[in-house]
Amino acid sequence: MKKLHLIASAFLLLSPLKSMSQNTANYDENKVPDLILSDPFVSEKGKLIQTVSEWEKFRRPEIFRLFQDEVYGQIPKDFDKISFEVISETANPYPEIADLEEVNITVERNGKSHTMRINFFLPKTGKGPFPVILLINYLPKYPDGKLADEAFWPVPELIKKGFATASFHAETVAPDLADSFQNGMISTLYPEQIGQANGLKALGAWGWGAMRAMDYFQQHPKVDSKKSILVGHSRTGKAALWASANDPRWAFTYANESGCGGAALSKRKYGETVGAINRRFPHWFADNFQKYNEKEEQLPLDQHLLPGLIAPRAVYYSSAKGDQWADPKGEYLGIQLGSRVASEIYGKKAVFEPEFEALEGPVHLESVGYHIREGKHDLTWKDWELFLEFWDFNWKR
Ligand code: GTR
C-alpha cells in the first residue's frame, strides 16, 4: 500500500520526468510516488479548521485562491448588462415531447459585447418549474445544423425524466484552440486578463458561459434553478468543477472522466501529467500551472481540495476502466479525500469507506458520489443513468 501523508504544505523535489504521451505515460502503480497532500483542515498559518465558519472564513478562501492563482486562473464576475433573445434558427428535433428555445445571451462590458448561444429544451408535459441540467459540450457545434444526436447529450431521455436541459458549445464562448481561444469573450469583454499569470483561460471562460446560462435559468418561470445540475465530460468536466467552485448557484455538479486538472490527483503522475496537459493544451489552465510541469510535488495543493470548494452542494465524479489516461484511481481518491469537507465540516453522511480496489458498485452518499464503469473514455447513457440515481437518492432522501 502506498503511504499517504497529509501535511500543511509540501515542497519536495524529485527528478524531472520527460513529457509523456498516452503511450509513454506511467500506468504502473508501483511507480506512483508516495503522496504528500495538504491537509484541508489546517490553514496556511497552521490553524486547525473545525467549524463551518472557520472553513468558510479562513480555509475555503485560501484554497480557492490557490486553485485560482496556480491552476485555473480567474473567472471575472463583473459586467455591465446581460440580455436574452430567444430565436428560432434550427428545427426542433423533438417537437412531440419538448419545446426548444435557442437563446442568444449577450453580455456587455466597457462598451463591448459578446453573444453566446444556448440550446434549451423544456418538457411539454407538466407545468414546471422543472429541474434543469446544463451540459458544457466541447465538440464542434451543430453537426449538419441539427440539434439531435449532439454528442454526450441524451435530450429525449432527460426530458422524459422531467428535466429541462440545455447545452452550449465551448466555442460560442471561447474556441478550444491554443492560438485563438482568446478570440471569443476573453479579448472582447476581459482583455485585461490576457497575459496575467493567473488570468482567465479557456476552462474558466467555459465556466463563465455556464454562469451566464444560469443567469437565464434564474429568470425563467418554468425553471427551478435551485434544482440545477452542471455537467461536463473530460475537459468540460474540469470546467464544470471550476465553475461550480466559483458559482454557488449550482446545486449538483457532475464531472465525468475529468482526469488531470479535474478530478484526479496531479501528484500521482499516473496517466496524463501536468506537463503533458499543459504542453498539449496551453490555453486551458492559468499560465502559472506551467510551473509544475514535471514538478507536481511542488504544487501547494492537489485536486483532493476541489470538492471542498463545492461543499455542501452535491458533487459527483465518474471514471471508466478503459480510461487510464484520466487515472480512475486518482479520480476516486480526489472525491474520497475531498468528501471530508462535506462529512467533517458540514455533517453530511458522506464518508467514502471502500478502497478503490474493493469497489463493487457506485458509491452514492449524501452530497457526494462516484461510479466507475467498463469501457472507454466517453459520456454514455450508463453514466447518466447512474448519476441520475445519485440525484434521486439525494432529492428524495
Ligand atoms: C484529452 C486530454 C484530457 C481530456 C480529454 C477530453 O486529450 O488529455 O485531459 O480533457 O482530452 O477532453 O476529451
Side-chain angles (χ1 to χ4, degrees), residues 22 138-139 152 176 203 206 233-238 256-262 272-273 276-277 280-281 284-285 323 325-326 377-378:
Q22 291 209 30
Y138 64 81
L139 294 179
F152 313 130
D176 190 8
L203 294 179
W206 304 335
H233 165 60
S234 206
R235 67 198 69 183
T236 66
K238 309 177 212 289
N256 184 65
E257 297 157 27
S258 60
C260 181
E272 187 171 34
T273 60
I277 204 167
R280 279 181 68 214
F281 306 105
W284 284 0
F285 295 92
D323 183 22
W325 181 238
H377 187 66
D378 197 0

Side-chain angles (χ1 to χ4, degrees), residues 94-256:
Y94 316 108
E96 271 92 58
I97 56 169
D99 293 320
L100 168 63
E101 293 181 1
E102 293 174 276
V103 189
N104 281 343
I105 302 179
T106 300
V107 178
E108 293 168 45
R109 183 175 185 259
N110 294 340
K112 299 228 169 124
S113 74
H114 178 83
T115 299
M116 62 175 280
R117 165 79 59 85
I118 61 170
N119 301 309
F120 186 28
F121 291 94
L122 293 126
K124 274 206 150 122
T125 312
K127 284 205 308 284
F130 304 104
V132 64
I133 299 177
L134 175 70
L135 170 72
I136 313 176
N137 205 334
Y138 64 81
L139 294 179
K141 63 180 167 183
Y142 324 130
D144 309 327
K146 293 197 192 101
L147 287 176
D149 304 323
E150 292 263 306
F152 313 130
W153 192 27
V155 174
E157 289 82 358
L158 298 175
I159 291 286
K160 283 177 201 151
K161 283 186 176 288
F163 292 97
T165 184
S167 172
F168 71 88
H169 288 268
E171 67 196 78
T172 99
V173 180
D176 190 8
L177 291 168
D179 53 3
S180 60
F181 74 98
Q182 291 162 339
N183 296 350
M185 55 70 96
I186 300 181
S187 61
T188 311
L189 297 181
Y190 303 102
E192 69 281 4
Q193 292 281 323
I194 297 173
Q196 289 189 46
N198 69 349
L200 175 64
K201 300 288 287 289
L203 294 179
W206 304 335
W208 178 93
M211 295 176 188
R212 305 295 70 85
M214 175 54 95
D215 294 338
Y216 182 69
F217 301 146
Q218 277 195 310
Q219 53 80 60
H220 197 299
K222 284 196 169 178
V223 174
D224 184 353
S225 63
K226 297 240 167 345
K227 291 189 178 170
S228 55
I229 304 173
L230 180 59
V231 183
H233 165 60
S234 206
R235 67 198 69 183
T236 66
K238 309 177 212 289
L241 291 169
W242 183 230
S244 194
N246 276 267
D247 185 349
R249 294 176 295 174
W250 295 102
F252 279 60
T253 308
Y254 172 25
N256 184 65

